[in-house]
């Protein structure tokens, strides 16, 4: 019983991280020409949120962030294709294969060698996590968002922060 | 206690409680001591208060500056993370839409 409590206490911070970035990805830092590493836990998000304005673009981001517990981004750019291997992503995919994660999008382009996957974590009918894997021959990006994610709010960020808005055609639904 | 004793005691008490003028220079000495004490601790108190208030204000300003720097850095990271996420999701959405349209 004592060990069960100790185990639970150790597991609590790990649960807050949601998925764990595997060592295979961390090793890619050495091969990549450019690395973006963003780690924002709940306290950092709260701090960042305080510096976002209540008007315009930043107000939308502030609203989106209010329900989040963490944002973790790893993006690698390589000088040449073939610097990363599909096997590097396997430990990550293994974590996403189990419930409550569900793959909602899987796009494979053999011609361009591009591969994109979107996984959501749903609990009690709400999206409580989002993971994006975007793989290109010379670029690999992994995004993990922990917390309540409103897809509409996320999509609404288009047109802000320098992101081009994706125009919807008339009559087209989300 | 007989009458003689009572008279003696009475005289002694009167003698002891007789009004006496202070010795010459007593008032000046007392005032001098008070003035010396006043001039000795007041400047130190003022310096200490200035240091405490100044130090406190300095610490607060420094803390606010650090908070602002950390907050601005966190905000920049957040904007970068949201930009990357949104850009990737839009690209995926665009690919799906293109496929649906048979492009």
């Amino acid at each position: 019983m004592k060990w069960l409590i100790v185990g639970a206490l150790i597991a609590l911070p790990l649960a807050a991280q949601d998925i764990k970035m595997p060592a295979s990805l961390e090793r890619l830092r050495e091969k990549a020409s450019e690395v973006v590493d963003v780690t924002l836990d709940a306290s950092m998000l709260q701090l960042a949120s305080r510096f976002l304005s209540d008007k315009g673009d930043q107000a939308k981001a502030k609203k989106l962030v209010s329900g989040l517990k963490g944002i973790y981004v790893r993006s690698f750019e390589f000088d040449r294709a073939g610097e990363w291997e599909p096997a590097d992503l396997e430990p990550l995919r293994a974590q996403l294969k189990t419930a409550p994660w569900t793959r909602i999008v899987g796009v494979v382009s053999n011609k361009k060698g591009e591969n994109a996957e979107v996984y959501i974590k749903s609990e009690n009918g709400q999206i409580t996590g989002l993971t994006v894997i975007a793989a290109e021959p010379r670029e690999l990006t992994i995004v993990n968002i922990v917390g309540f994610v409103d897809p509409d709010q996320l999509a609404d960020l288009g047109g802000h922060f320098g992101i081009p808005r994706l125009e919807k055609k008339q009559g087209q639904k989300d | 206690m007989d009458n003689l004793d009572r008279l003696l005691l009475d005289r002694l008490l009167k003698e002891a409680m007789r009004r006496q003028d202070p010795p010459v220079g007593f008032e000046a000495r007392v005032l001098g001591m008070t003035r010396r004490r006043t001039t000795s601790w007041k400047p130190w108190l003022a310096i200490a208060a200035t240091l405490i208030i100044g130090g406190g204000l300095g610490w607060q300003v420094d803390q606010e500056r650090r908070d602002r720097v950390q907050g601005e850095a966190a905000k920049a990271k957040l904007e970068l993370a949201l930009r990357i996420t949104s850009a990737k999701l839009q690209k995926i959405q665009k690919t799906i839409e293109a496929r649906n349209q048979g492009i």
Side-chain angles (χ1 to χ4, degrees), chain A residues 13-29:
Chain A
L14 294 174
Q17 271 182 10
D18 220 28
I19 62 162
K20 196 176 182 302
M21 292 292 175
S24 56
L25 287 179
E26 301 302 330
R27 277 200 296 271
L28 292 176
R29 287 170 188 275

Side-chain angles (χ1 to χ4, degrees), chain B residues 15-79:
Chain B
E15 184 68 25
M17 298 182 75
R18 187 167 53 87
R19 180 187 166 87
Q20 274 189 322
D21 286 331
V24 179
F26 177 78
E27 188 184 347
R29 281 204 306 277
V30 169
L31 284 173
M33 282 169 72
T34 317
R35 216 171 286 131
R36 269 204 304 277
R37 279 188 192 155
T38 309
T39 49
S40 63
W41 62 264
K42 262 194 176 169
W44 289 111
L45 186 73
I47 291 166
T50 309
L51 285 173
I52 290 167
I53 294 167
L57 282 173
W59 179 83
Q60 196 181 349
V61 168
D62 187 52
Q63 194 63 32
E64 280 174 8
R65 188 189 59 81
R66 282 180 195 210
D67 283 353
R68 198 169 55 246
V69 169
Q70 279 187 337
E72 290 293 346
K75 181 188 160 188
K77 277 187 174 183
L78 173 65
E79 286 180 353

Side-chain angles (χ1 to χ4, degrees), chain A:
Chain A
M1 184 65 182
K2 193 168 74 181
W3 291 110
L4 198 69
I5 294 166
V6 171
L9 286 172
I10 292 167
L12 269 173
L14 294 174
Q17 271 182 10
D18 220 28
I19 62 162
K20 196 176 182 302
M21 292 292 175
S24 56
L25 287 179
E26 301 302 330
R27 277 200 296 271
L28 292 176
R29 287 170 188 275
E30 293 156 22
K31 296 180 184 177
S33 54
E34 271 188 52
V35 179
V36 175
D37 182 344
V38 180
T39 299
L40 290 164
D41 59 13
S43 60
M44 287 297 278
L45 283 175
Q46 211 176 0
L47 180 66
S49 180
R50 272 172 35 206
F51 286 82
L52 288 171
S53 157
D54 287 323
K55 291 174 186 170
D57 301 352
Q58 296 194 3
K60 291 187 176 181
K62 197 172 188 174
K63 198 177 172 191
L64 173 76
V65 166
S66 65
L68 301 183
K69 291 177 187 168
I71 300 182
Y72 307 91
V73 177
R74 300 286 186 278
S75 187
F76 307 95
E77 269 185 49
F78 305 95
D79 287 332
R80 294 182 302 274
E83 293 278 10
W84 68 272
E85 293 171 21
D88 294 326
L89 290 171
E90 281 316 307
L92 181 66
R93 284 202 182 100
Q95 294 178 62
L96 297 165
K97 271 179 188 166
T98 53
W101 287 99
T102 313
R103 194 173 88 154
I104 55 162
V105 174
V107 182
V108 180
S109 168
N110 289 327
K111 196 176 167 185
K112 291 181 184 172
E114 292 178 2
N115 187 351
E117 293 162 86
V118 180
Y119 295 84
I120 56 162
K121 183 183 177 186
S122 44
E123 287 165 316
N124 303 321
Q126 285 189 326
I127 300 173
T128 55
L130 178 89
T131 299
V132 180
I133 301 174
E136 296 172 29
R138 288 172 53 191
E139 193 182 329
L140 184 61
T141 303
I142 291 102
V143 177
N144 175 223
I145 298 177
V146 186
F148 175 69
V149 184
D150 185 343
D152 288 338
Q153 281 181 10
L154 204 57
D156 200 30
L157 282 175
H160 308 295
F161 303 119
I163 305 159
R165 180 175 289 284
L166 199 64
E167 297 298 337
K168 286 176 192 167
K169 294 199 171 175
Q170 222 170 12
Q172 191 177 346
K173 288 181 180 175
D174 288 340

